[in-house]
Amino acid sequence: MTEDTERNSSDDPVWMTSAMLKAYSHPLRRRILRLISRHEFLRAADIATELDVPANSASFHLRTLAEAGLIEEAPDKARDRRDRVWTGRKGALNLGGPENPVADEALGVAVVSALVEDHQDLVRRVVAWTPEYVSGRTAEVHAAFTQRTIRLTEAEFEAVMGTINDALSAADDAHDDADPDGRYWQIDLVAADDTV
């Protein structure tokens, strides 16, 4: 299971430590990570304003994320020596698997549950928007839902997922950040075979 925290390819995936898992399991911290990924560089005050949380709370959660290795300071973006600017870590994070099992299984399951909650929130937003589109009240696309059932070996499935991730990374790399029509899209890929 992979979670991209930053807009980069997953060429050098990192296996999540217990500290990363613990930090990532908190819903506000996941919101902060998504916000940093959208803006690339942010200060605690910016995060507090955008997420409508107290500045000291944003600072606390930023320190926790930094200590876990999920974000880092960007001193070159600071206005002065006291100014702390944060950016997300580069690359993909892998939760765990047979070759690198998580040290704390309960914590790993908690992170998966948190990711499922985020996914369910995305599905709720798609369902709330869908009547506008299917009724013809809007022609603007804000969401998509695609469902496919295909028969593959495990190796073929892994190759397909690699191709999808490569295509997403290529599209992200090709995007012009100055394009005013650019929007952030949350893309959740969920797949399971018929044995689970």
Side-chain angles (χ1 to χ4, degrees):
M1 176 163 296
T2 301
E3 169 67 20
D4 274 321
T5 60
E6 189 61 33
R7 299 175 339 184
N8 286 312
S9 67
S10 56
D11 293 339
D12 297 316
V14 172
W15 295 96
M16 291 180 83
T17 64
S18 291
M20 287 176 168
L21 292 169
K22 186 174 180 182
Y24 196 82
S25 66
H26 194 283
L28 179 56
R29 292 182 197 138
R30 290 193 312 279
R31 289 178 62 206
I32 289 170
L33 287 171
R34 283 192 297 272
L35 189 61
I36 289 174
S37 131
R38 288 179 176 178
H39 294 278
E40 206 167 344
F41 301 100
L42 284 174
R43 293 167 178 78
D46 303 325
I47 291 167
T49 299
E50 189 141 351
L51 297 180
D52 195 25
V53 297
N56 62 347
S57 176
S59 293
F60 169 79
H61 290 294
L62 284 165
R63 283 192 305 276
T64 302
L65 290 166
E67 288 167 5
L70 293 170
I71 63 171
E72 57 192 37
E73 281 195 71
D76 56 315
K77 301 293 182 184
R79 293 180 290 234
D80 58 44
R81 296 168 97 184
R82 294 179 316 231
D83 191 26
R84 296 183 85 179
V85 181
W86 301 95
T87 189
R89 66 168 309 285
K90 309 295 183 214
L93 295 174
N94 287 280
L95 181 60
E99 63 282 355
N100 285 305
V102 294
D104 184 336
E105 184 178 340
L107 195 51
V109 171
V111 168
V112 171
S113 295
L115 291 171
V116 168
E117 286 175 22
D118 292 347
H119 176 75
Q120 289 170 335
D121 178 61
L122 174 63
V123 171
R124 279 190 291 276
R125 292 180 1 236
V126 170
V127 169
W129 167 80
T130 298
E132 296 298 310
Y133 189 76
V134 298
S135 67
R137 287 191 292 271
T138 184
E140 198 171 297
V141 175
H142 292 280
F145 181 85
T146 301
Q147 188 176 50
R148 295 278 309 266
T149 301
I150 56 177
R151 183 175 172 83
L152 300 170
T153 65
E154 188 173 331
E156 291 168 335
F157 172 74
E158 288 177 5
V160 166
M161 293 306 292
T163 300
I164 291 169
N165 282 322
D166 289 346
L168 293 172
S169 292
D172 188 34
D173 292 343
H175 173 70
D176 176 6
D177 285 339
D179 186 337
D181 291 331
R183 291 177 271 160
Y184 287 96
W185 296 81
Q186 180 179 340
I187 300 173
D188 289 8
L189 299 175
V190 179
D193 69 14
D194 57 1
T195 67
V196 295

